[in-house]
């Protein structure tokens, strides 16, 4: 309101339309591009391929035409010694008519179009030229995000640029105080803060703009990393955790008598990390990233046995009913006759059965619980829950993760397991407060899944291939996209596919099961079970099979309309095959014609089985907003940084933060005073966010 050119009414508009309340907000309202106004062209040199032009000349007579207000238009021309160009306005005609001076010299900037073969500019920006040679106000003029409403009240991008310029004039170096330590500025060759704001809005050269952008991105990522890392340090320092003092009988007996295979080096390493965490007296917060098939379940089970050995309860949460049941039954099988009681709780367990389960949880009779998020619902009270394992975390919201804490007076240890390798940039920002374990090794003897792309037209060959494999005694999946289970056309495609597969395999006697989201849970379970037991040799399904399903005899997966899936999702699906010793194949069927850009994504799938690489690519292709589970998190609401592009800056910033906080966790050093006071000034804002 107090800025020259604003006042109460416009201040209100800026608030409403752009969320700009303060000078600071205005500085953070970054231009989305700049236009080069350093060049003034002769009108005669304008050619059809020109996009935006800046010319200077004399304004011709103004002509108003059209009757009704909606049809009125204003036309004129601009001429210089080399030629003449037509100008036209459709809106705000009267006002523009009044404000222009025919015969005067104007500097014009606008977007060129051609009408009846003649160059014309609609709604040009015009600036009266007073002196003979006037340099443009800004060589690179910022263009700001704006709204129609603001435009109509005289607060278009140009006016906003004027406001930003006045703010920058008013504010001194002291007002836009440096918040990064001098040593950091030097190490990373970053320009100062005030200079950066000046150059991001009004750069003289492209180089200046890039310098400013890099500095401000670094600042933003650096500050968010400081916050995340301090959270982690504080948690390590203060929060008490359940103390698992010993490795007991259950763990040892299971290890010696029941474990069906040798653990991989990676599994052992992660178990050691968990053992160390849970014996430290602090609460564990660990993220376990292990590619599909790397054997996370057994790590979860051994960790839970550790909790039980120490007299506590543990639980394992999975995102779906199917997966919970599968975990429950495989864990029960693995445990065999070991004396430990395990329970299952999902949304479908109701009434008397549910009541009974709840009692056993409450009394502590059940030591290990497996289930869906039903486990953290109202009314579930554990006796002494000390370890929570979340499988496939990305499907749990952040709020659900937080909900776990209310289950017990003391925060349980938390192990988050994900098979969707999270791109490094994302895990640094979303889970930067967690310790991270990576299982980068698959159990010995696995053969990588061979992946092939196949056009629609060759589907008969695909079916033939599947038939051969099944004839060898193997099992096969056909997967259809059903992103929204309610999508009608998707559902029809699935049914068509099912008919087609059934017709093709009729007479072979192979059972075919089908799983999708519209079935009742009982139906779905029965169909699943048929496939798991091998009664059905072929499964036609939607992505409900995506997570965790484990049928090691399945060696073929055909993914229909593969171009509609995200890369990480394709990788997840593909992980359902190649789980046994046989070599497996995944066929991606698409309708993409040669040269379609979508093919480059399919190529990635053909070329690598490395989930981390795929996750990084996925982030590149889709941008961070689309990665599952991050959308509403707010953690990624950066103003200028973009973690799908700025990985290098993020890594540099994180490295610098870790180094800095290791040496000076409380920011006591004089060189860190500016950073500290900046963070303290921001505290209220941060706490609101978190
Ligand atoms: P994921 O990490 O995808 O959850 P699972 O825990 O489901 O993987 O394990 C995949 C398969 O590998 C299972 O059939 C499991 O029994 C088997 N497995 C796990 N660890 C080993 C190992 N060390 N050696 C051999 N097979 C293993
Ligand atoms: Mg799993």
């Amino acid at each position: 309101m107090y800025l020259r050119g604003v006042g109460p009414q416009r201040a209100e508009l800026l608030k409403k339309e752009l969320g700009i309340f303060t000078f600071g907000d205005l500085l953070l309202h970054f231009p989305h591009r700049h236009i080069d106004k350093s060049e003034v062209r002769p009108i005669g040199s304008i050619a059809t391929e020109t996009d935006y032009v800046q010319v200077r000349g004399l304004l011709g007579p103004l002509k108003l035409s059209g009757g009704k207000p909606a049809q009125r238009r204003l036309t004129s021309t601009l001429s210089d010694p080399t030629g003449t160009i037509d100008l036209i306005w459709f809106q705000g005609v009267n006002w523009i008519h009044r404000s222009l001076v025919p015969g005067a010299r104007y500097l014009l900037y606008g977007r060129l179009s051609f009408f009846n073969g003649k160059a014309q500019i609609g709604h040009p920006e015009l600036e009266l030229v007073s002196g003979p040679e006037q340099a443009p106000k800004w060589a690179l003029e910022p263009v700001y995000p704006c709204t129609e409403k603001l435009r109509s009240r005289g607060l278009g991008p140009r006016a906003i640029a004027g406001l930003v310029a006045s703010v920058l004039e008013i504010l001194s170096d002291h007002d836009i105080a440096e918040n990064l330590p001098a040593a950091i500025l030097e190490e990373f060759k970053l320009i100062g803060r005030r200079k950066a704001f000046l150059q991001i809005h009004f750069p003289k050269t492209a180089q200046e703009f890039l310098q400013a952008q890099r500095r401000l991105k670094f600042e933003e990522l650096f500050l968010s990393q400081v916050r995340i890392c301090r959270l982690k340090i504080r948690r390590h320092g203060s929060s008490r955790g359940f103390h698992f003092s010993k490795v007991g009988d259950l763990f040892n007996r299971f290890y010696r008598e029941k474990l069906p295979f040798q653990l991989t080096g990676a599994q052992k390493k992660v178990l050691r990390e968990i053992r160390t965490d849970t014996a430290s007296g602090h609460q564990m917060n660990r993220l376990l990233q292990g590619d599909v098939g790397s054997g996370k379940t057994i790590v979860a089970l051994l960790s839970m046995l550790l909790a039980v050995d120490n007299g506590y309860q543990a639980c394992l949460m999975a995102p779906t009913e199917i997966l919970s049941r599968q975990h429950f039954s495989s864990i029960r099988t693995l445990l065999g006759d070991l004396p430990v009681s395990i329970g299952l709780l999902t949304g479908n367990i109701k009434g008397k059965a549910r009541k009974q389960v709840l009692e056993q949880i409450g009394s502590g009779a059940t030591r290990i619980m497996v289930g869906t998020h039903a486990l953290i619902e109202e009314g579930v009270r554990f006796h002494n829950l000390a370890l929570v394992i979340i499988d496939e975390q990305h499907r749990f919201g952040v709020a659900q993760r937080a909900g776990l804490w209310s289950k017990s007076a003391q925060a349980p240890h938390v192990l988050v397991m994900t098979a969707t390798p999270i791109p490094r940039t994302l895990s640094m920002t979303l889970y930067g407060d967690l310790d991270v374990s990576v299982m980068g090794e698959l159990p010995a003897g696995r053969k990588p899944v061979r992946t092939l792309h196949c056009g629609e037209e060759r589907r008969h060959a695909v079916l033939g291939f599947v038939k051969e494999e099944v004839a060898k005694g193997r099992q096969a999946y056909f997967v259809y996209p059903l992103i929204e289970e309610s999508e009608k056309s998707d559902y029809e495609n699935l049914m068509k596919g099912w008919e087609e597969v059934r017709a093709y395999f009729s007479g072979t006697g192979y059972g075919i099961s089908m799983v999708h989201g519209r079935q009742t849970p009982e139906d779905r379970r029965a169909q699943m079970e048929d496939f798991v037991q091998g009664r059905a040799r072929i499964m036609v399904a939607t992505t409900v099979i995506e997570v965790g399903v484990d049928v090691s005899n399945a060696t073929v997966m055909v993914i229909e309309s593969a171009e509609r899936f995200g890369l990480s999702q394709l990788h997840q699906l593909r992980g359902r095959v190649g789980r046994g010793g046989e070599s497996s194949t995944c066929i991606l069927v698409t309708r993409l014609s040669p040269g379609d850009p979508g093919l480059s994504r399919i190529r990635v799938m053909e070329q690598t089985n490395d989930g981390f690489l795929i996750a990084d690519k996925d982030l590149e292709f889709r941008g961070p907003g689309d990665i599952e589970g991050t959308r509403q998190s707010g953690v990624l609401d950066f103003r200028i940084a973009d973690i799908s592009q700025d990985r290098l800056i993020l890594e540099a910033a994180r490295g610098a933060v870790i180094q800095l906080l290791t040496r000076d966790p409380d920011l006591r050093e004089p060189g860190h005073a500016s950073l500290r006071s900046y963070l303290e000034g921001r505290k209220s804002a941060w706490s609101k966010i978190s």
Side-chain angles (χ1 to χ4, degrees):
M1 185 181 345
Y2 302 112
L3 188 64
R4 178 157 36 91
V6 182
Q9 275 177 13
R10 286 181 157 187
E12 199 55 37
L13 268 176
L14 285 172
K15 273 186 219 171
K16 277 223 187 81
E17 298 287 302
L18 297 174
I20 294 175
F21 288 74
T22 64
F23 286 3
D25 293 338
L26 200 51
L27 289 187
L28 288 172
H29 190 61
F30 296 123
H32 50 58
R33 63 191 175 94
H34 287 85
I35 43 191
D36 188 348
K37 293 207 162 167
S38 53
E39 191 195 11
V40 179
R41 297 178 65 150
I43 292 175
S45 77
I46 291 170
T48 38
E49 64 272 15
T50 319
D51 189 9
Y52 284 89
V53 287
Q54 177 163 260
V55 292
R56 186 168 28 221
L58 297 179
L59 188 68
L62 299 169
K63 273 181 243 152
L64 267 173
S65 61
K68 287 189 214 139
Q71 290 164 2
R72 301 190 76 183
R73 56 183 54 187
L74 175 67
T75 53
S76 184
T77 55
L78 193 83
S79 316
D80 71 3
T82 68
T84 295
I85 190 165
D86 289 340
L87 312 179
I88 186 158
W89 292 265
F90 306 95
Q91 278 157 18
V93 165
N94 288 332
W95 183 77
I96 293 164
H97 186 234
R98 276 199 304 276
S99 62
L100 291 176
V101 187
R105 261 167 80 75
Y106 279 92
L107 183 68
L108 174 151
Y109 182 84
R111 181 177 207 145
L112 206 62
S113 57
F114 283 83
F115 186 72
N116 286 339
K118 242 187 138 246
Q120 140 181 324
I121 296 181
H123 285 265
E125 290 174 17
L126 287 166
E127 207 177 305
L128 204 57
V129 182
S130 36
E133 271 308 314
Q134 203 180 36
K137 205 159 169 190
W138 302 299
L140 292 167
E141 185 172 309
V143 182
Y144 292 93
C146 192
T147 66
E148 269 317 310
K149 195 153 186 190
L150 284 170
R151 245 181 265 268
S152 72
R153 308 285 174 86
L155 275 177
R158 264 226 157 151
I160 294 177
L163 298 183
V164 175
S166 341
V167 167
L168 281 165
E169 237 166 72
I170 297 171
L171 299 182
S172 66
D173 269 350
H174 177 75
D175 296 318
I176 310 180
E178 183 54 67
N179 53 13
L180 298 178
I184 299 270
L185 292 183
E186 189 163 333
E187 181 178 351
F188 296 95
K189 307 254 177 303
L190 300 169
I191 60 173
R193 191 149 184 261
R194 180 163 188 278
K195 194 171 170 194
F197 276 110
L198 206 62
Q199 292 186 11
I200 195 98
H201 291 284
F202 304 109
K204 292 202 186 59
T205 60
Q207 174 70 18
E208 279 195 3
F209 172 78
L210 292 174
Q211 272 181 345
Q213 196 187 40
R214 185 163 159 273
R215 142 80 209 210
L216 292 172
K217 284 178 174 209
F218 188 97
E219 171 186 323
E220 187 165 47
L221 293 168
F222 183 91
L223 293 173
S224 90
Q225 285 299 321
V226 168
R227 190 175 64 95
I228 290 167
C229 293
R230 289 184 97 190
L231 199 71
K232 179 166 165 178
I233 292 173
R234 222 167 293 148
R235 191 180 278 154
H236 274 256
S238 64
S239 78
R240 283 191 315 120
F242 290 97
H243 188 214
F244 296 179
S245 56
K246 60 173 188 204
V247 178
D249 276 355
L250 274 174
F251 186 100
N252 286 328
R253 273 189 62 194
F254 179 81
Y255 205 96
R256 276 200 311 270
E257 299 167 19
K258 308 287 181 191
L259 196 61
F261 35 66
Q262 279 271 316
L263 290 185
T264 64
Q267 285 169 322
K268 285 185 189 161
K269 180 197 74 174
V270 172
L271 277 168
R272 270 197 303 274
E273 285 167 345
I274 293 169
R275 168 86 188 106
T276 309
D277 284 357
T278 53
S280 73
H282 299 301
Q283 185 212 2
M284 170 174 78
N285 268 287
R286 186 166 282 281
L287 175 68
L288 168 54
Q289 295 193 48
D291 210 344
V292 192
S294 59
K296 293 182 292 298
T297 315
I298 207 82
V299 171
L301 177 55
L302 281 160
S303 310
M304 292 197 288
L305 291 178
L306 202 57
V308 177
D309 269 340
N310 284 276
Y312 298 112
Q313 287 174 297
C315 77
L316 171 61
M317 289 209 301
T320 63
E321 172 94 21
I322 291 178
L323 192 53
S324 306
R325 286 184 182 274
Q326 206 175 40
H327 273 324
F328 178 71
S329 71
S330 61
I331 287 176
R332 213 166 38 176
T333 312
L334 281 165
L335 288 173
D337 59 356
L338 288 184
V340 51
S341 94
I342 115 165
L344 174 72
L345 186 65
T346 70
N348 284 307
I349 297 172
K350 297 197 176 95
K352 238 171 94 183
R354 179 177 153 91
K355 202 162 157 248
Q356 203 174 3
V357 173
L358 291 186
E359 269 168 25
Q360 284 165 350
I361 298 175
S363 70
T366 304
R367 310 309 295 173
I368 292 178
M369 279 306 300
V370 179
T372 57
H373 57 267
L375 278 174
I376 56 169
E377 269 162 21
E378 217 33 58
V380 183
R381 286 274 166 273
F382 282 85
H383 178 62
N384 60 358
L385 180 66
L387 171 66
V388 174
I389 301 180
I390 309 176
D391 197 8
E392 314 292 350
Q393 139 83 17
H394 61 297
R395 299 183 153 221
F396 279 104
V398 175
Q400 282 166 318
R401 182 145 64 107
L404 299 168
W405 271 248
S406 63
K407 293 288 106 184
S408 42
Q410 194 177 346
H413 297 299
V414 177
L415 178 69
V416 169
M417 306 197 298
T418 174
T420 309
I422 299 163
R424 284 169 44 76
T425 48
L426 262 183
S427 67
M428 277 189 267
T429 39
L430 274 182
Y431 305 115
D433 61 322
L434 306 183
D435 294 306
V436 179
S437 299
V438 176
M439 296 208 304
E441 178 190 358
L442 295 183
R446 291 280 172 77
K447 299 197 182 75
V449 179
R450 181 170 61 127
T451 301
L452 305 167
H453 172 234
C454 197
E456 260 292 306
E457 71 288 350
R458 279 164 58 209
R459 72 168 329 103
H460 211 75
V462 173
L463 285 167
F465 175 77
V466 173
K467 199 175 208 167
E468 278 172 32
E469 283 291 299
V470 176
K472 289 187 215 155
R474 317 259 190 273
Q475 287 167 281
Y477 295 99
F478 285 86
V479 183
Y480 284 80
L482 209 70
I483 313 299
E484 290 292 333
E485 295 279 344
S486 57
E487 193 85 27
K488 190 156 165 273
S489 60
D490 279 347
Y491 187 72
E492 282 165 3
N493 278 340
L494 173 73
M495 290 305 152
K496 242 174 60 199
W498 154 251
E499 288 302 336
E500 188 188 35
V501 170
R502 229 171 37 169
Y504 190 88
F505 289 96
S506 70
T508 59
Y510 301 143
I512 303 175
S513 58
M514 175 157 68
V515 173
H516 59 81
R518 288 197 182 180
Q519 288 165 318
T520 63
E522 291 74 49
D523 275 354
R524 195 156 65 212
R525 206 176 313 135
Q527 296 280 322
M528 236 6 255
E529 202 54 27
D530 277 350
F531 189 72
V532 171
Q533 299 301 331
R535 289 190 293 273
R537 303 286 288 280
I538 294 162
M539 155 91 79
V540 177
T542 64
T543 49
V544 293
I545 61 148
E546 183 182 336
V547 266
V549 173
D550 190 12
V551 177
S552 56
N553 189 44
T555 58
V556 191
M557 173 170 287
V558 179
I559 303 180
E560 303 282 352
S561 308
E563 70 272 25
R564 291 185 49 201
F565 293 87
L567 289 187
S568 293
Q569 203 178 14
L570 287 175
H571 182 64
Q572 281 288 301
L573 286 166
R574 178 169 66 180
R576 301 302 118 217
V577 294
R579 310 201 119 215
E582 306 299 335
S583 55
S584 303
T585 310
C586 174
I587 302 173
L588 305 174
V589 181
T590 75
R591 261 168 241 245
L592 300 175
S593 40
D596 192 300
L599 280 174
S600 57
R601 298 169 66 247
I602 302 292
R603 293 277 168 270
V604 172
M605 297 307 297
E606 287 183 311
Q607 280 159 9
T608 183
N609 272 291
D610 179 339
F612 285 92
L613 197 77
I614 289 170
D616 283 341
K617 285 278 178 207
D618 208 17
L619 185 62
E620 256 172 56
F621 282 125
R622 304 201 296 169
D626 270 356
I627 301 290
E628 228 171 325
T630 64
R631 230 159 306 196
Q632 347 75 318
S633 68
V635 188
L636 300 177
D637 284 346
F638 292 117
R639 300 217 57 143
I640 186 166
D642 171 354
I643 59 161
S644 59
Q645 307 292 321
D646 300 329
R647 174 178 171 161
L648 291 178
I649 300 180
L650 174 60
E651 281 174 356
R654 183 169 169 88
V657 167
I658 290 171
Q659 217 176 23
L660 186 152
L661 290 179
T662 309
R663 216 180 62 207
D664 182 20
D666 298 319
L667 304 176
R668 297 276 165 213
E669 288 179 18
H672 300 156
S674 55
L675 173 61
R676 190 165 138 221
S677 64
Y678 181 85
L679 291 170
E680 273 163 11
R682 288 271 139 171
K683 215 175 226 155
S684 49
W686 280 124
S687 58
K688 233 188 292 167
I689 291 162
S690 55

